[in-house]
Every structure is written in structure tokens, then in C-alpha cells.
Amino acid sequence: MAGGRAADAHPHVWVTSTSELVYAPDGSLTGVRHAWTFDDMFSTYALQGVETKAKGVYTREELQPLAQTNVEALKEFDYFSLAKADGKKQQFDEPVDYFMEAKDGLLTLHFTLPLKVPVKSRQLSLEVFDPTFFVDFKLADQDPAKLVGAPAACQIKLRRPADGTASAQTLGEQNFADGGNLNFGITFANKITVDCP
């Protein structure tokens, strides 16, 4: 996603996301595992220049430099991930276990965001969005969010926003370039909420 930022209207990149919220045996959240599948145009663009041994077949090793470039670029944007425990913002450490895979012409970036400090909470929320709406995140249709190792009584809920592409396109590129709509994307944030008694 570090690449080209030139087009007529927002968004420019479309991502279908899945997230796993990872818990420790003591019931504290330790991190989030994301898998973000990019649209076909971005995938094609990103794969340009990637050298492979077999034409059209990309190994994890061949895609590793691209994965690293992407996770490093995401730091500037707080990994498009906002976690709150009982209303208090949580800080993430650098991504670990990151890799990319190419399947059916689409790239998927996998990475884990560990929390700086594991946290126990009655309510946890995770929002995945780009404030500038350069990247449009959509929760996957099937299994968009899972709890891994969470206490049995914890319940997960999803909130899917309305599609913002049409309204963003009516604004035009200049509305984003001059900074007037820097937080437009929060309107379309995907929200995962976990309630634990």
C-alpha cells in the first residue's frame, strides 16, 4: 500500500479483511492477527517486478520483501487498527509473523499485531479503517472475525458500515488533498466488539 497515490477519487485500494483476536490462558487479549486481501488492480500493481522461479507462481519467500515493505509502511498509519479496552485506547507493538500470499490473482497480507501490554477488559473494540479513506476496508463475508483462546463466556459482535465509495467519489480528490476530510474514513470503520462478563 506504500505505492502509487494518484487517481481521481477515493478510495484507491480495496481490502477485504479478517481478524483474529488472540487471548492468553489468563483471559487477556495479547494481539490481533489480520489477513488483508487486496483488490485485483492493487495486487497486479504490487506484483510488478517481483521475480519468480515459476512464471505466475509466487512463493512466500519471493513475496517476503513486499510483505516487509507493506508492514513498514503501515506503521505510519497505526496499522489502520484501533483497539480500545473498556474505552481506553491500546497500543500495538511492531507486527510479527508477517507474510504475503498470492492466490487467484489476489495478494493477501498476513500479520500479527501484539499489544504492548496484554489487557483484560469487560468490553473490547477493534476498528479497522483508513481515516483518509484512501484504502476501503470491508469485512470478509464469511468468518470476518474470530476469538482465539478467549474465555468461553465472551461474545463477539460485528458492525459493518455502509459503503462509502459513492459519497467519497462525489467529494473529489481535492477535498482529501487539502486536508478537509482527513477523518472521512472513520465513518466507514468496521467495528468488532467483544463483551466478556
Side-chain angles (χ1 to χ4, degrees), residues 75-174:
K75 183 175 184 178
E76 176 184 350
F77 305 100
D78 293 326
Y79 309 102
F80 298 127
S81 301
L82 173 64
K84 291 183 179 178
D86 296 327
K88 185 178 177 188
K89 184 178 177 182
Q90 302 301 302
Q91 299 297 320
F92 289 110
D93 254 333
E94 303 273 327
V96 295
D97 303 329
Y98 56 86
F99 65 95
M100 258 191 175
E101 65 179 342
K103 185 177 178 187
D104 300 327
L106 302 178
L107 278 175
T108 300
L109 175 65
H110 299 264
F111 63 104
T112 299
L113 284 176
L115 285 176
K116 284 190 185 272
V117 179
V119 64
K120 284 186 182 180
S121 63
R122 290 180 64 80
Q123 185 175 77
L124 179 96
S125 67
L126 174 68
E127 292 178 278
V128 179
F129 67 100
D130 176 0
T132 66
F133 206 48
F134 183 88
V135 181
D136 180 11
F137 287 92
K138 172 187 176 256
L139 290 172
D141 292 334
Q142 293 196 330
D143 299 323
K146 291 181 186 174
L147 301 179
V148 178
C154 292
Q155 305 257 332
I156 190 168
K157 290 185 278 190
L158 304 175
R159 187 192 76 204
R160 297 174 189 265
D163 179 16
T165 305
S167 56
Q169 287 175 340
T170 63
L171 292 173
E173 190 68 20
Q174 190 55 42

Side-chain angles (χ1 to χ4, degrees), residues 21-44:
L21 287 79
V22 183
Y23 286 79
D26 71 353
S28 60
L29 179 75
T30 60
V32 178
R33 276 197 296 256
H34 286 307
W36 293 349
T37 301
F38 300 99
D39 66 271
D40 56 350
M41 287 191 301
F42 179 82
S43 295
T44 300

Side-chain angles (χ1 to χ4, degrees), residues 13-88:
V13 179
W14 287 263
V15 171
T16 302
S17 77
T18 63
S19 301
E20 293 182 343
L21 287 79
V22 183
Y23 286 79
D26 71 353
S28 60
L29 179 75
T30 60
V32 178
R33 276 197 296 256
H34 286 307
W36 293 349
T37 301
F38 300 99
D39 66 271
D40 56 350
M41 287 191 301
F42 179 82
S43 295
T44 300
Y45 169 78
L47 287 170
Q48 290 179 2
V50 175
E51 293 186 22
T52 61
K53 288 182 179 153
K55 185 174 171 80
V57 178
Y58 300 89
T59 66
R60 189 182 289 194
E61 292 75 23
E62 290 165 342
L63 293 173
Q64 193 59 21
L66 185 58
Q68 183 172 345
T69 298
N70 274 267
V71 294
E72 287 173 355
L74 289 171
K75 183 175 184 178
E76 176 184 350
F77 305 100
D78 293 326
Y79 309 102
F80 298 127
S81 301
L82 173 64
K84 291 183 179 178
D86 296 327
K88 185 178 177 188

